Amino acid sequence: MTHPSSRPPQGRTPLRTVQVLGGGSAGSSVHVRSLTAGLVARGVRVTVCAPPGLDDTYGFTAAGAQFVPVPRRTDPVSVSALRAACAEADLVHAHGLHAAVRSALARPAQTGRRTPLVVTWHTRAHAEGARAHLLRLLERRVARASSVVLGTSSELVDRARSRGARDARLAPVAFPAPRRPPAPAHDDPERLGHKARAELGAVDRPLLLAVGSLEPHRGYGTLLDAAHAWLRLDPVPLLVVAGEGPERAALQRRIDLEGLPVRLVGRRDDVPELLTAADVALLPSRWESRSVLAHEALHSGVPLVATAVGGVPELVGDAAELVPYGDSRALASAVERLLVDPGRRAWLRAQGLAQAATWPTEDDTVAQILSVYDELTEPLR
């Protein structure tokens, strides 16, 4: 369906934008795919620059963009490849810190001035020692080079301002609600949930679900600590972790050595179906802005236990059980209380659906970002 404002005003050429992804995290990639579809529907020309292979995963071309594969930040040719892609752009929009650093170097000059650079900070990196100092320098460089910094949470907006951003604004991104493939008439949601539980080995026991890359900042060590407490429950709940990453081997060793009721199931394409089957979703991260799992859990009416970090409290409001980061006892206790209290679980389901209804829609997000683009490019057009 064509958006009513999809045609540019008479006598004006379509706005040409370049969307730049660095590592291509799930959250930023899903957002760029959604943004691309909305911008194209409004008559904007979109080029997506991202690591090779991401177009197959997220469908930028299918959404109407031109896709330019650009090597990841460690590749020395990435800046030159990006410079060529940005040569004719009216505006460059980078998603993430490292994408922004390269975009600031690659964007062309327009009649004596730099092409406007919009940067969305979806999350923040974590580092210690010398790397932490380097990280602050990079953040300062990006903040000062940007025409506008968009933060997906209030904390990120404050961080951008503290790093010297001239213009930093709150711009919460909208992720699509979980989309499930149509099921045969005989496959109702309850039956599908039973099938998923049977596959995972949780037919007669509670199912807990965590989703995300297996990296230190995700808090899975704390989650395994909490799993010790669940060994004394009857029945013992099964914790399923969907995701891949460098911590997998270490986590699996702990699971095997300590006999924990945990399954690492790797990267999955059926997370919405797993959520449908789960009794509780878990988000134990050290820091999150607008977590994809939190979005999907609340949209699906699945009770969520999450750490009270970053943008999580702002995102979920009263619709989740919040615990301190790194506190395995608090995490274990919150889960145990939910498992024995169906009334509380039902209340959280209802609160989650109500909270999700307050979030900006994909159309809202596109409209806000497009207004920023118009503001920055009007003098040039």
Side-chain angles (χ1 to χ4, degrees):
M1 179 177 179
T2 302
H3 191 277
S5 62
S6 62
R7 293 183 181 276
Q10 188 171 3
R12 295 182 63 180
T13 58
L15 183 67
R16 299 164 299 182
T17 71
V18 174
Q19 307 289 324
V20 184
L21 282 163
S25 69
S28 58
S29 297
V30 168
H31 169 61
V32 170
R33 205 284 182 188
S34 171
L35 180 59
T36 293
L39 291 174
V40 169
R42 290 159 172 81
V44 178
R45 293 180 182 173
V46 179
T47 298
V48 175
C49 296
L54 284 191
D55 191 35
D56 293 335
T57 303
Y58 294 100
F60 305 119
T61 302
Q66 177 186 1
F67 181 74
V68 176
V70 174
R72 295 179 185 274
R73 61 180 182 267
T74 52
D75 193 305
V77 304
S78 61
V79 172
S80 59
L82 187 57
R83 182 176 291 118
C86 294
E88 302 298 326
D90 296 310
L91 179 143
V92 177
H93 188 164
H95 299 265
L97 180 63
H98 293 284
V101 171
R102 290 185 298 158
S103 297
L105 295 171
R107 60 181 172 151
Q110 291 183 343
T111 59
R113 58 175 289 178
R114 285 287 187 182
T115 300
L117 174 64
V118 176
V119 175
T120 295
W121 284 12
H122 293 267
T123 186
R124 74 178 196 192
H126 298 276
E128 298 178 357
R131 289 179 60 85
H133 177 66
L134 175 61
L135 178 63
R136 284 192 297 272
L137 292 177
L138 290 177
E139 289 180 338
R140 188 175 300 120
R141 179 172 186 172
V142 165
R144 294 177 178 178
S146 304
S147 307
V148 174
V149 176
L150 302 176
T152 59
S153 68
S154 298
E155 183 177 330
L156 287 174
V157 174
D158 292 341
R159 188 179 183 89
R161 288 172 178 158
S162 73
R163 297 293 190 257
R166 293 165 293 172
D167 189 341
R169 311 178 193 183
L170 179 64
V173 302
F175 296 124
R179 294 185 174 92
R180 299 175 176 83
H186 60 276
D187 274 346
D188 58 36
E190 185 175 348
R191 185 175 184 277
L192 289 173
H194 262 300
K195 288 173 63 177
R197 295 176 76 96
E199 180 215 333
L200 296 169
V203 173
D204 297 316
R205 60 198 295 199
L207 176 62
L208 314 177
L209 178 68
V211 180
S213 57
L214 305 184
E215 300 180 56
H217 71 275
R218 294 291 186 182
Y220 291 129
T222 301
L223 199 52
L224 296 191
D225 292 340
H228 276 282
W230 302 328
L231 286 169
R232 57 182 170 76
L233 302 181
D234 185 17
V236 176
L238 174 66
L239 169 61
V240 169
V241 180
E244 278 295 352
E247 292 288 293
R248 177 166 186 142
L251 293 172
Q252 190 63 59
R253 280 195 297 272
R254 275 199 63 186
I255 293 166
D256 295 340
L257 288 172
E258 300 169 26
L260 299 177
V262 181
R263 283 192 61 189
L264 305 181
V265 295
R267 188 175 289 107
R268 300 283 294 228
D269 296 325
D270 60 345
V271 169
E273 286 73 20
L274 298 182
L275 271 171
T276 298
D279 296 289
V280 179
L282 304 176
L283 183 66
S285 305
R286 178 167 62 180
W287 197 90
E288 294 278 354
S289 180
R290 295 183 73 84
S291 158
V292 176
L293 176 63
H295 273 83
E296 294 191 338
L298 269 61
H299 269 301
S300 301
V302 178
L304 174 69
V305 177
T307 43
V309 297
V312 173
E314 185 177 30
L315 176 67
V316 303
D318 296 326
E321 298 283 357
L322 298 179
V323 298
Y325 168 71
D327 190 334
S328 60
R329 289 186 180 182
L331 177 58
S333 296
V335 170
E336 291 175 35
R337 288 195 301 271
L338 284 178
L339 292 180
V340 299
D341 189 347
R344 177 66 176 173
R345 295 201 305 273
W347 186 86
L348 283 176
R349 288 189 195 99
Q351 286 295 109
L353 293 171
Q355 181 71 8
T358 70
W359 294 336
T361 65
E362 292 179 82
D363 276 348
D364 293 335
T365 299
V366 173
Q368 181 187 12
I369 290 177
L370 189 55
S371 71
V372 174
Y373 291 0
D374 287 341
E375 178 185 329
L376 294 174
T377 60
E378 187 67 33
L380 305 176
R381 303 173 69 207

